Amino acid sequence: MVFTADDLLRWKDFPKGLRVLLLDEDSISVAQTKSKLEEMHYIVSTFSNESDALTELANKPENFHVAIVEVSVGKSYGSFRFLETAKDLPTVTDVWIISAAVTSNIHCLSTMMKCIALGAAEFLQKPLSEDKLRNIWQHVVHKAFNAGENAVSKPLKPIRETVSSMIQLQLETTKVEQKNILEAENEIQVHKKGHEQSVATDRFPAPSTPQLKQGERLLDDGECHDQSNFLLEKEIEDQGDPKFVETTCNNTVVEITVKAEPSPRCEEGGIMEEDDSTDGSKTGNRISSPPQDKGSAEDSRIDAGNSKKASLIPNSCRTNINKKKMKVDWTPELHKRFVQAIEHLGVDQAIPSQILELMKVEGLTRHNVASHLQKYRMHRRHIIPREDDRRWQLPRDTTPRVYPQKPVMAFPPYHFGHGFSPSQHYPAWGHPSSHPSSVQVWGHPSYPTWQSPESCPWKTYPGMHADAWGCPVMPMPQGPYSTFPQNSLGFQSFEDKGNLLGNYIDLHPAEEVIDKVVKEAISKPWLPLPLGLKPPSTESVLSELHRQGISCIPPYKNTNSSC
DNA sequence: ACTGAAATAT
DNA sequence: CATATTTCAG
């Protein structure tokens, strides 16, 4: 029966009414099975003759959703005839065939394998218990969804979505795809046999990046530092590649396991993927940062399509199919992007929608950003003031708007124990390019409270990890969005250094220090002036900008303006 | 429709 | 308790 997700959606009381073709030469056995099936409100058509069954199936495939056929292992002849024949029936392709057999355990494996190879969806071992029979509907759902993925495509996705949530059944995700597996806290009991497992979406490979590479990278990521470095190493622009938010989702995989107690669960191992095992890296949800075309200012989400195309295998999570509330995990990387976006927009001017736009993170919603922004601001408010007031009350600005009045918190009172591995630090509220004074470093004892100036810009910090949150961020590309305030031109953040200097200077304005600062200020004109130095005149700033090829300076407020 | 903040939830 | 989501008011 041609059965689509659409049909499924309309199906009330599913799986009641499921049409089952039952083929078994043993009349007693068939009667028993039929009885059980009917108890479940399945509609059963029994056959004791292979030919009859095949004929019926060929002629009226719409009458069946699932076929359960006995494979008579005992007979050396014709055991698989049904399967072999049905396999070639175009009309039957939409019917899941489940083989059942009384097996002599010895042949179990080969028999099962053959059945599966011939297209059987599942191999049930007799006796067919209620449990075994009850779940056959899953194949129908599976089919419907899969069909939707490959053939029916888009129009159906919403439906799948609906159905998913409705039935609480996630699409089957392919094992190969599940390199990233998340640990999910919540479990969904789909059925008696519901499997809980959360699957992380893969990171999408760059068009040029083979899947395998990805896997490797993931492994590396498991070691954490690589990941952060990976990001740091790239320029923002490059890494401007959209990322994907890995949202937690409960992915229930249709169980295609044969429950044959006596014999080994032959095919199971191959099909089911143990989440834990794969999850060597405890990296919880995370964002993928596929290399991507830097050029496309377009919404990166489009890229999602690409990646999907890249992997033929359906992946529920990644496709965002389940719009079930997805909990965004603000990983260091994500937060970094967030902060960067804010920087670009100006700390004060940043608003959720624009941040979202800048972040270019697939799956992230404005609400998510707004929420995070709220938290971000809150932290800034509470923590910055004193620091700020205490050491940084220099009335230096002629352009108050330019320099954020309040420094940004560098290290929020985060703890690093969210189940993350030690190397995975939670993001700090660092504001990469915040001005020098601003940074209050809440450093973890093991972290340097400041960065050496040299290591900052465009460099990675070998020793530092994600915690380098307060860490400088690469300069933003001067893309369409770049309408940042003058002082933010470089977007390097030397907050640490600035901090250090600030402290130091406040206390001991040694000349060498001053020299150093002046030198620094000259060499890095984009940095706020830490000392009592006067900010450059507007003209000089403009000329410098011009010298750097920036001839147009957008107004602070309007971030959309373009030159 | 969007932002920001409070209320809730986890 | 901290963080994320939801709700609500402007």
Side-chain angles (χ1 to χ4, degrees):
Chain A
M1 176 177 207
V2 180
F3 188 77
T4 67
D6 198 14
D7 299 323
L8 191 54
L9 184 61
R10 288 194 265 264
W11 189 323
K12 293 171 183 173
D13 296 330
F14 182 90
K16 289 183 181 178
L18 194 78
R19 297 172 184 274
V20 182
L21 182 156
L22 183 58
L23 169 61
D24 194 334
E25 294 182 349
D26 181 348
S27 59
I28 298 177
S29 170
V30 83
Q32 290 175 340
T33 303
K34 180 181 182 182
S35 172
K36 289 174 184 169
L37 287 169
E38 287 178 338
E39 284 177 14
M40 303 160 194
H41 301 94
Y42 292 162
I43 300 173
V44 185
S45 305
T46 60
F47 297 87
S48 57
N49 179 294
E50 245 177 17
S51 298
D52 293 345
L54 282 170
T55 301
E56 186 71 5
L57 189 58
N59 293 337
K60 299 182 178 178
E62 69 276 7
N63 279 351
F64 309 104
H65 297 110
V66 176
I68 300 177
V69 305
E70 159 78 11
V71 175
S72 307
V73 179
K75 290 189 290 184
S76 57
Y77 138 81
S79 302
F80 306 102
R81 184 183 154 211
F82 185 96
L83 284 172
E84 288 169 342
T85 307
K87 183 183 62 168
D88 297 328
L89 285 175
T91 54
V92 179
T93 55
D94 289 300
V95 178
W96 278 107
I97 297 172
I98 301 175
S99 300
V102 259
T103 61
S104 62
N105 293 332
I106 296 177
H107 297 108
C108 169
L109 184 64
S110 62
T111 300
M112 291 173 70
M113 288 181 76
K114 182 156 187 179
C115 287
I116 300 299
L118 288 174
E122 180 178 1
F123 189 98
L124 298 175
Q125 199 167 45
K126 283 190 173 182
L128 297 175
S129 67
E130 279 190 33
D131 278 353
K132 291 172 184 172
L133 294 173
R134 189 187 309 279
N135 292 330
I136 60 176
W137 60 266
Q138 293 177 80
H139 298 294
V140 177
V141 178
H142 177 268
K143 191 79 163 190
F145 283 165
N146 259 356
E149 183 72 33
N150 295 329
V152 195
S153 72
K154 304 127 193 181
L156 224 48
K157 289 199 171 173
I159 297 174
R160 293 175 54 180
E161 200 170 11
T162 306
V163 176
S164 285
S165 57
M166 187 176 83
I167 309 182
Q168 298 235 312
L169 206 176
Q170 279 295 352
L171 306 185
E172 169 184 321
T173 48
T174 311
K175 39 286 163 169
V176 183
E177 282 291 284
Q178 303 181 355
K179 309 203 162 144
N180 260 352
I181 299 210
L182 299 178
E183 286 182 348
E185 280 108 313
N186 16 9
E187 298 188 6
I188 282 196
Q189 196 82 8
V190 169
H191 214 61
K192 312 171 70 171
K193 256 307 191 175
H195 270 27
E196 177 275 333
Q197 121 179 36
S198 67
V199 179
T201 61
D202 294 4
R203 11 181 94 196
F204 297 156
S208 58
T209 308
Q211 294 276 331
L212 275 183
K213 291 272 178 158
Q214 278 219 323
E216 292 172 10
R217 192 184 304 157
L218 282 178
L219 288 181
D220 288 344
D221 287 349
E223 304 184 11
C224 269
H225 66 273
D226 282 358
Q227 187 178 13
S228 44
N229 281 345
F230 178 68
L231 283 179
L232 286 173
E233 282 170 1
K234 303 187 156 206
E235 302 223 352
I236 283 191
E237 176 125 13
D238 264 0
Q239 70 174 279
D241 47 323
K243 304 180 168 187
F244 296 85
V245 182
E246 267 186 14
T247 51
T248 347
C249 58
N250 304 309
N251 222 337
T252 308
V253 176
V254 175
E255 185 176 7
I256 309 194
T257 300
V258 172
K259 307 175 197 267
E261 287 77 7
S263 60
R265 53 271 143 93
C266 305
E267 77 248 46
E268 177 172 9
I271 294 180
M272 300 295 293
E273 187 72 52
E274 194 56 27
D275 40 11
D276 298 334
S277 62
T278 320
D279 196 33
S281 63
K282 297 195 172 123
T283 75
N285 313 340
R286 77 164 54 137
I287 302 162
S288 62
S289 56
Q292 194 214 359
D293 53 335
K294 63 168 71 175
S296 75
E298 297 297 320
D299 190 333
S300 58
R301 274 145 236 229
I302 300 172
D303 196 283
N306 293 344
S307 41
K308 194 205 282 180
K309 166 171 50 182
S311 61
L312 310 171
I313 320 163
N315 183 324
S316 58
C317 277
R318 108 120 55 74
T319 45
N320 275 353
I321 296 252
N322 80 353
K323 61 179 57 164
K324 277 272 185 179
K325 60 176 168 196
M326 303 196 276
K327 188 170 181 177
V328 174
D329 187 0
W330 287 90
T331 62
E333 287 73 25
L334 191 54
H335 178 71
K336 189 161 91 179
R337 282 202 148 242
F338 171 82
V339 172
Q340 286 174 359
I342 287 187
E343 291 222 313
H344 292 210
L345 295 168
V347 185
D348 297 327
Q349 290 82 16
I351 58 175
S353 60
Q354 292 180 325
I355 296 173
L356 178 64
E357 198 177 0
L358 270 174
M359 288 179 70
K360 291 182 182 164
V361 175
E362 149 107 20
L364 196 63
T365 70
R366 190 169 51 80
H367 285 82
N368 296 134
V369 174
S371 170
H372 198 62
L373 182 61
Q374 179 181 17
K375 191 176 61 176
Y376 178 82
R377 285 171 170 160
M378 219 177 75
H379 279 281
R380 267 192 54 183
R381 291 234 156 145
H382 291 165
I383 291 152
I384 296 163
R386 42 182 150 141
E387 279 297 326
D388 196 31
D389 294 343
R390 187 186 308 164
R391 58 166 80 130
W392 247 151
Q393 281 303 34
L394 306 177
R396 51 210 174 78
D397 271 344
T398 58
T399 56
R401 301 294 302 172
V402 175
Y403 297 170
Q405 289 300 312
K406 306 289 185 179
V408 182
M409 166 194 337
F411 293 94
Y414 267 118
H415 18 273
F416 300 93
H418 272 296
F420 289 86
S421 68
S423 45
Q424 286 186 314
H425 308 298
Y426 209 75
W429 289 103
H431 199 166
S433 72
S434 62
H435 81 208
S437 63
S438 61
V439 181
Q440 157 65 4
V441 180
W442 291 43
H444 188 80
S446 61
Y447 301 139
T449 50
W450 56 276
Q451 292 289 316
S452 68
E454 302 79 1
S455 61
C456 273
W458 299 289
K459 296 281 185 182
T460 66
Y461 308 93
M464 297 195 65
H465 298 267
D467 51 301
W469 279 90
C471 200
V473 180
M474 288 89 233
M476 274 303 228
Q478 318 229 331
Y481 305 110
S482 67
T483 63
F484 30 81
Q486 8 184 4
N487 79 324
S488 314
L489 279 179
F491 283 104
Q492 287 92 344
S493 69
F494 291 87
E495 64 255 88
D496 310 301
K497 176 199 62 183
N499 200 8
L500 174 69
L501 290 177
N503 283 327
Y504 195 85
I505 292 166
D506 277 350
L507 303 175
H508 315 281
E511 256 183 74
E512 53 210 88
V513 175
I514 296 178
D515 282 343
K516 187 175 177 180
V517 172
V518 171
K519 191 175 174 182
E520 185 68 40
I522 293 174
S523 64
K524 326 259 176 163
W526 50 81
L527 291 177
L529 304 171
L531 294 181
L533 299 177
K534 292 180 181 177
S537 67
T538 303
E539 290 92 22
S540 63
V541 171
L542 290 175
S543 68
E544 175 64 15
L545 286 175
H546 190 70
R547 194 178 67 79
Q548 297 184 18
I550 302 172
S551 55
C552 172
I553 303 174
Y556 300 134
K557 188 175 181 180
N558 184 357
T559 54
N560 288 329
S561 67
S562 57
C563 292

